[in-house]
Amino acid sequence: AKVVAQPCMLTSLARYPYAVDGAAAAVELLMSLDKEGLDSAHATFLQAAAGSPRLQWAEPLADGPWGFARRALYADLMILGQREEDDPSSAEVPADFLPSVLVESGRPALILPYAGETRSVGRTVLVAWKETREAARAVSAALPWLRRAAQVHVVAYGDGIDDSLRALERYLAAQGVSAALHTGGVEEGDMGNALLSRAADLGADLLVMGSYGHSRAREWVLGGATRTILQTMTLPVLMAH
């Protein structure tokens, strides 16, 4: 396996187009800020990689964040960070970067929360199951974690879900995965927080779920649970659209 660190950011010129006003000195300053940010990211990568030949640093994309989804087409998995609105560096990528990459690339993503320390991923896994292509893709992408997990839990909400839970149980068993099944009851208006609460009760360190959303008038419209999870996630989440 190979891990590629792909730097991705809006240039300062793109973020502050009216600050330039044709002044060469201002352009030079903004370009130097970009270089400082890139150098800092590279230094962080080198420290984390610790010389591993399996971790590689890539050159910045010419089209920045808009090219990331296209680059992701050639990867099995994206590893992304949750957006922290109060972080000044959050402006370095568009506000809809996460949902747009998930929808446009169709590739699964492991999303890490910005709060707290992630000490383990996948020892106790909670799968949010629904008979949709998005949830099925998420389960398929999660199989490497599910096979190694100490505990796998599956929860589904709504009426008449027993058959779908049993069908998923048989599929997972064929993949060498034993799962505990949970019926969550009726679907709630705030399914995102219901899933996070269930994950906390089970001590899960990974939530697996489908990502739901579509584009409308050049804006990304997310499903309620997807939006809540991306905003308030308390554990790593493996999502697939």
Side-chain angles (χ1 to χ4, degrees), residues 1-5 45-58:
K2 180 174 69 174
V3 178
V4 177
F45 165 78
L46 291 175
Q47 181 179 7
S52 171
R54 297 172 61 183
L55 277 71
Q56 301 178 7
W57 177 263

Side-chain angles (χ1 to χ4, degrees), residues 118-197:
T118 302
R119 297 188 177 183
S120 66
V121 178
R123 288 188 299 191
T124 301
V125 183
L126 173 62
V127 176
W129 179 242
K130 195 174 185 179
E131 285 190 320
T132 63
R133 63 179 184 179
E134 291 86 354
R137 287 174 177 171
V139 169
S140 294
L143 283 175
W145 282 278
L146 299 179
R147 292 186 180 113
R148 293 194 300 265
Q151 291 182 308
V152 175
H153 298 271
V154 179
V155 63
Y157 294 83
D159 297 325
I161 57 172
D162 290 344
D163 288 346
S164 68
L165 279 173
R166 295 299 179 189
L168 181 62
E169 181 184 37
R170 290 192 296 271
Y171 168 77
L172 291 176
Q175 303 295 327
V177 177
S178 176
L181 308 182
H182 305 267
T183 54
V186 297
E187 288 195 38
E188 303 176 19
D190 192 0
M191 287 303 306
N193 280 320
L195 286 173
L196 292 175
S197 177

